[in-house]
Structure formats: structure tokens, C-alpha cells
Amino acid sequence: MTTQRETLEADVLIVGAGPAGLSCALHLSNLISKHNQSGGKPVLSTENIYVLEKGRELGAHQLSGAIMDPRGLSELVPDFEKTAPLDTPVTDDAAFLLTSQSAFRFPITPPPFKNKGNYVVSLSKLTKWLGGQVEKSGVNLFTAFAGASLIYEGEGIAGVITDDKGVDKNGKPKSNFTAGYELRAKVTVLAEGARGSLTKQLVSRYKLDNLNPQTYGIGVKELWEVPDGRIQPGFVAHTLGWPMPTEIYGGGWIYGMQNKRVSIGLVVGLEYTDPFFDPHEAFQKFKTHPFLRHILGGGKLVRYGAKTIPEGGWYSMPRTYVDGGLIIGDSASFLDSQKLKGIHLAIKSGMLAAETTFEALCKGDTSAKTLAAFPRRVEESWAKKQLWSVRNFHQGFQYGLYGGLFHAAFQQISGGRGLVDPMHVHAGPEAYQKLNGRRAPAERFKGDGKLTFDRLTDVYHSGTRHDDDEPCHLVVSDPSICADQCVREYGNPCQYFCPAAVYEMTAERGENKLKINAANCVHCKTCDIMDPYQIINWVVPEGGGGPNYEGM
Ligand SMILES: Cc1cc2nc3c(=O)[nH]c(=O)nc-3n(C[C@H](O)[C@H](O)[C@H](O)COP(=O)(O)OP(=O)(O)OC[C@H]3O[C@@H](n4cnc5c(N)ncnc54)[C@H](O)[C@@H]3O)c2cc1C
């Protein structure tokens, strides 16, 4: 049966209301307003810009450290300091090397960890504020609407089909069924963040990959409220070393915020060899270090979340334009993995995409040839300069922590070139080593319920919600591989890498079976990235589902 869909036509459709998508919408509406005021032809309307966001409200799916470099936002909203919800300016920064019991402060904070002039923010709050500016400008912004599939046309795209609402877990329409819209646009801008589900389709269909595949990290984060005087608002610390084994890329952060709040997190490179490695557990251990225990002890967990980060940088940036389409922000690898900063780059990429789109609309030509002006603009911008200077950074860490630091030192003095340029990497899951008889850990981490938590307790603190009676959005193309080959070869790493306890192997009448607790999913996309056989496909659930990262 074919579903009857209502068709809507827009000039521009932006998928994803994060910093990239919202900046694109706001800058484009500013350009259109100026153009119309000066009598420019053709007359354009901000009402013909649509933004879709799968989160139930603006900011619900924004999870970040976050320290924001204000460079992007000051170009987009020059007087942002007057109204933006900036938690606190950075007042002091430090870097520590941790062993299991000690913390050694680097005598001088290494340049990538210097943050004076930046702000500690809640990205979720900042996104809400930015979305408010976008709505005021007349743009149509729809939350709880997901782009479910792309409309392909010729060698490019012509919009998206939004999610069907009211479908039961067997795929049958319920009494509240509403078919998704066919949203057609002259330009569709994909701003879906890391491992965008539509971006993945587009990159694969038109073979847009760059020299390197995208590589990722996962960031596991908690927001805490701690007793008075434990940490200064604006004090930011980054850590290397324990609890991360030296062969795994990663590090921690501790950011002091207003109102006795602390943002803590651990980033783990998703290219480790041990299929039983558990990033959530590593993060829980991180909090038991005396340095963190001293800050957190007697405090309480406020919010939890996890999300992936594109770390591949410049050489993993896909081709960012096709006929009628652009890719921006994290989806297009605009992230400086040395500094773990992507907010300002996402904003800049959105602005450059807006300028390109505006020009294309004025010209009446939205072909790839015209939209190719986007990467040219990027080339000429400070975003390229920043990404170019760290173009080999993440790749160096495929040789472990010390190898990575060694390469990073050479790259620092050679403007990013280092000893090998370009430095190649493989996709993350290719690094897994087979078990060869090794057994799974006898016990799973439980936590003490005060300082450390199991995954289900943490998921509860992420505000995650999905309808139980909807199709599973984690589509496993061949579950028989999970039940047999993966058990033998890798011991089902999905049970360990997922920070939300979505995947569980059960035994039914002596047979292994994969159980998917899709309602727990925090939309981090780790499974789509780290499944060794690439048989898990993360597709959008019904719009409005997922976490609620309020204040994160
Ligand atoms: C743990 C962690 C810590 C970080 N720390 C920092 C930091 O300290 N400083 C810094 O500058 N950067 C940091 N970053 C990176 C920063 O968060 C990102 O670079 C930035 O958010 C990218 O913006 P974006 O708009 O491209 O993507 P996102 O912020 O991910 O926004 C994408 C939006 O698109 C929506 N979406 C996705 N697919 C669809 C779809 N099909 N339909 C509808 N909506 C969709 C998502 O729900 C989301 O709201 C961190 C990231 C993580 C994960």
C-alpha cells in the first residue's frame, strides 16, 4: 500500500536544529530581509525556510561539554553577550595527567587546553535561545518532526519525507496515524550532527567520502550539583591518563558552572581493540578518582547523556554539496578534535551555507555547480585555517596515547603537517580484535548509587522517552549474525559500547537472541558506528522521541 502524503514546498529545508542548522536559518533570514529591504529581486520570504528537529523541543538533543569559542556566534549575533544564556566566562584553565590515585597538573596549560576568552555554556540552553531568534525572524521551525528519508532527484536531493506518526511496533497504522509530509525544497541543508542518518544515506549513495572515513569518539557526560565551594564557576580542567588504557584515545573534562553545577565527562575514541570495553563504565570509574571524588562527594546527579563526536577532521570531511543539497556542522566534520570544539565551527559552516544558498536562490540555480561555492567559501574562511592546522591530529592517536602525543608535538610545530601528511586511518570497528577464546567479564558494573551509577539509572536521568508501541528504530539487517557469529567472534560488543543499555543478549530455549530495548536509546549513534559487521542501521524514531538534555 502506498501512503498518501501531503506535499509542502519550501525554498530551503534545514534538517536539524543544532548550532549549525539554526545558524544557517538565522543568517539566511537576515540576508533575505536585507535583500528585500533594498528592493532586491527576486523577492524572497523567510517563511519559505523550514527547519525540522526530531527532539521534542529545541535543545532536547543538544549534548556538549561545553566550552564555546565565541568566534562563530559573535559573527552571527554581534551583540550576543546581551541576551545569550552564557553560563560563565572561563576564569582559569588547567590540564592534568591522572594516575589511579594522583593528579599531576601540567605546569603550563598546553595551548589546545587554553580557554581564556571562551564561555562555559549549556548547549541545550544556547540552542533554545538561538531557536527563539530564528522563530522571531519568521522561519518555520518544527520540533518533534524528523527527516525520515531523502527525496532523490537526478544527481541530488529535493527534500525529505518526514516521519509517519502513530505507527505500531509491527508497522501497522494506529488510530492516531498521520502520514509524514513530503517536504520539497530547492535547497535541503543536512545539519543532523554526528553520524546523521540522512547524511549517511547521501554520502553512501553519491560516494561523497573523503580520503579518510569519518572516525568518532563517544562523550559520556553527567551534570552534577555539588556542595558550596567545591569548584569555582569558570574553572575548566581537562585530564589525560587514568582510567583510559594508554592504547585508547580519550580524556576527561571538569567544568565549573554557575549555581554549584559541574559538567563532567569522558571522551573515548571509537576505535579501540577490546570488544568488551565499556565507555560508560570507564566514565563511572573516572568519577572515583580522588580528584573528582573531592569535587563530587556529597553532591547529586542532575542529568546524564551520551553522544558521538566526529573526530576525523579535514580529511574526513565528505563532499559537502550535491544538486539541491548541502551538508554542514558535525555531519560534515566541522569539528576541531584537538580542542574538542565544534560549536563555533558548526555556526560558521551554517553561515557559509546560508550565504551560498542565498546566492543560489537569487540566481535561480540550485545545482551542484552553484552550491560548490560552499566549500570554496569554507576554503577562504577561518574555519578551514583551524581545521587544517589539526588535519592529522586524531589520526596520530591510532598509535596510542604516547604515539599520539609524539605526532601531535610534530604537528604543532609544522602547522598540522607532522611526520606524515595526509595520515590515513581505518573506520573505527575495523580495530576490534577477535576474542580467540577470551570470556566476557563475569559481572557488569553496578555502581554505588551515590557517586557511580549503572546504565539504567543514568538513562533515567537523561529524560529519554519513546513510545513502546512504535517500530524499532535500531534496524538489524541480519539478527542471525548477532546470535551466532558475533557471539563467537566478538562477544556482542553492542552490550558494552551502548551507554544506554539498549542491547541485551538473552538465551531462549538454549538459543542466543538479541533483545533491543529501543525505548532507552539516547540517540548517540554509537551502535551505528561500532557494530563490527555494520548491520545495525540507526533510523529516526517517531519525532519527539529520545532524550531531554535540559540544562546540559
Ligand atoms: C560530549 C561532547 C562534548 C562536546 N564538547 C564541546 C565543547 O566543549 N565545545 C565545543 O565547541 N564543542 C563541543 N562538542 C561538539 C559540539 O557539541 C558539536 O560540534 C555541535 O553541537 C555541532 O552542532 P551541529 O548543529 O552540527 O549538530 P548537533 O548539535 O548534534 O545538532 C544536530 C541536531 O539535528 C537533529 N537531527 C538529527 N537528525 C535529524 C533528522 N533526521 N531529522 C530531524 N532532526 C534531526 C538532532 O536531534 C540535533 O538536535 C562536544 C560534543 C560532545 C558530544
Side-chain angles (χ1 to χ4, degrees):
M1 189 190 88
T2 48
T3 309
Q4 293 293 318
R5 301 186 184 280
E6 194 176 327
T7 303
L8 297 174
E9 307 255 351
D11 281 344
V12 182
L13 168 64
I14 298 166
V15 185
L22 292 173
S23 303
C24 180
L26 186 58
H27 193 49
L28 183 56
S29 78
N30 288 342
L31 291 169
I32 288 177
S33 302
K34 270 195 209 136
H35 163 86
N36 289 347
Q37 275 161 19
S38 63
K41 294 279 172 300
V43 175
L44 299 168
S45 168
T46 55
E47 286 176 12
N48 288 337
I49 308 171
Y50 283 44
V51 182
L52 297 182
E53 169 54 48
K54 67 179 163 60
R56 74 191 76 139
E57 56 185 66
L58 278 171
H61 291 186
Q62 257 59 51
L63 177 95
S64 205
I67 299 179
M68 182 183 67
D69 176 339
R71 190 165 190 182
L73 193 56
S74 62
E75 287 183 15
L76 180 67
V77 185
D79 61 351
F80 72 96
E81 277 161 321
K82 287 191 190 145
T83 54
L86 306 166
D87 191 279
T88 171
V90 174
T91 52
D92 190 12
D93 45 30
F96 291 88
L97 180 67
L98 302 188
T99 63
S100 65
Q101 292 303 315
S102 306
F104 300 99
R105 185 170 179 165
F106 288 57
I108 299 170
T109 305
F113 296 134
K114 285 203 160 104
N115 277 294
K116 295 263 170 69
N118 296 334
Y119 294 92
V120 182
V121 297
S122 150
L123 187 59
S124 168
K125 285 188 187 164
L126 192 81
T127 303
K128 257 197 182 122
W129 169 82
L130 197 53
Q133 316 284 310
V134 169
E135 278 175 326
K136 266 192 235 153
S137 74
V139 168
N140 287 296
L141 210 164
F142 300 100
T143 52
F145 276 88
S149 56
L150 288 165
I151 302 171
Y152 292 105
E153 223 166 67
E155 288 300 298
I157 50 177
V160 306
I161 309 283
T162 67
D163 61 300
D164 290 336
K165 301 198 185 295
V167 180
D168 75 11
K169 59 180 173 217
N170 300 312
K172 299 252 156 45
K174 295 190 274 195
S175 56
N176 60 346
F177 176 77
T178 319
Y181 294 96
E182 181 172 324
L183 252 174
R184 297 193 146 260
K186 293 172 187 156
V187 181
T188 303
V189 182
L190 298 181
E192 301 176 280
R195 194 70 163 197
S197 46
L198 300 180
T199 307
K200 180 178 148 185
Q201 287 176 28
L202 186 71
V203 169
S204 153
R205 182 175 175 121
Y206 293 126
K207 301 191 172 43
L208 306 180
D209 265 325
N210 200 333
L211 284 179
N212 281 333
Q214 184 58 271
T215 47
Y216 297 87
I218 176 171
V220 186
K221 171 179 171 179
E222 285 174 357
L223 187 67
W224 277 64
E225 199 172 301
V226 296
D228 243 344
R230 293 290 173 83
I231 186 168
Q232 279 295 110
F235 172 74
V236 306
H238 290 97
T239 70
L240 289 174
W242 195 86
M244 299 299 294
T246 52
E247 67 277 11
I248 302 183
Y249 174 82
W253 81 77
I254 307 147
Y255 302 155
M257 302 176 78
Q258 295 289 350
N259 303 322
K260 298 184 277 179
R261 293 212 161 175
V262 192
S263 158
I264 41 168
L266 187 75
V267 174
V268 175
L270 289 174
E271 59 248 325
Y272 48 78
T273 54
D274 179 2
F276 294 138
F277 186 77
D278 179 337
H280 174 267
E281 183 177 334
F283 170 64
Q284 296 303 320
K285 273 196 193 151
F286 175 57
K287 290 185 293 173
T288 64
H289 191 280
F291 182 57
L292 278 104
R293 202 183 268 278
H294 170 72
I295 297 171
L296 303 175
K300 70 168 196 248
L301 170 65
V302 177
R303 236 17 189 188
Y304 165 81
K307 192 165 173 178
T308 48
I309 306 165
E311 293 187 323
W314 186 259
Y315 289 134
S316 296
M317 186 178 284
R319 200 180 96 190
T320 49
Y321 62 96
V322 293
D323 281 336
L326 290 171
I327 315 175
I328 62 174
D330 272 10
S331 291
S333 202
F334 281 90
L335 184 130
D336 176 342
S337 66
Q338 189 191 49
K339 294 190 168 158
L340 187 66
K341 284 193 179 60
I343 301 170
H344 63 302
L345 290 161
I347 292 174
K348 185 67 181 174
S349 73
M351 293 177 72
L352 297 175
E355 287 162 24
T356 308
T357 304
F358 171 71
E359 200 174 76
L361 292 177
C362 290
K363 221 169 135 186
D365 174 3
T366 56
S367 66
K369 199 166 158 228
T370 306
L371 297 181
F374 173 58
R376 287 201 293 275
R377 283 189 161 88
V378 173
E379 281 281 344
E380 287 157 15
S381 72
W382 54 258
K384 156 79 192 276
K385 220 168 155 195
Q386 179 167 1
L387 291 171
W388 187 246
S389 69
V390 292
R391 63 194 178 278
N392 289 307
F393 176 77
H394 186 73
Q395 296 93 303
F397 285 86
Q398 63 190 304
Y399 306 105
L401 175 66
Y402 298 117
L405 291 175
F406 172 78
H407 279 286
F410 277 97
Q411 291 160 9
Q412 192 77 26
I413 49 178
S414 60
R417 191 195 178 284
L419 297 176
V420 187
D421 185 26
M423 213 175 208
H424 290 279
V425 279
H426 296 294
E430 289 180 31
Y432 281 133
Q433 282 172 2
K434 291 195 175 156
L435 295 181
N436 290 325
R438 203 155 66 87
R439 286 176 175 271
E443 281 225 331
R444 294 308 301 272
F445 182 83
K446 292 198 178 70
D448 63 12
K450 289 191 182 116
L451 179 69
T452 55
F453 305 98
D454 62 17
R455 288 177 299 170
L456 284 179
T457 308
D458 262 338
V459 171
Y460 172 77
H461 284 89
S462 68
T464 297
R465 202 172 70 200
H466 291 94
D467 189 344
D468 277 336
D469 190 17
E470 68 172 277
C472 178
H473 69 280
L474 303 150
V475 183
V476 180
S477 57
D478 186 351
S480 72
I481 292 183
C482 312
D484 180 24
Q485 192 180 353
C486 192
V487 177
R488 286 182 283 108
E489 292 187 329
Y490 298 107
N492 303 105
C494 55
Q495 298 183 101
Y496 302 90
F497 59 58
C498 172
V502 167
Y503 297 93
E504 212 183 314
M505 288 308 289
T506 58
E508 276 179 23
R509 278 177 252 112
E511 281 193 12
N512 296 318
K513 205 162 175 243
L514 177 68
K515 183 173 173 219
I516 303 179
N517 306 303
N520 291 354
C521 176
V522 293
H523 296 202
C524 72
K525 319 267 179 83
T526 306
C527 53
D528 194 286
I529 296 162
M530 276 307 266
D531 146 43
Y533 306 95
Q534 294 295 289
I535 53 173
I536 302 179
N537 193 25
W538 192 102
V539 300
V540 286
E542 192 171 307
N548 184 7
Y549 291 145
E550 205 183 348
M552 287 282 260

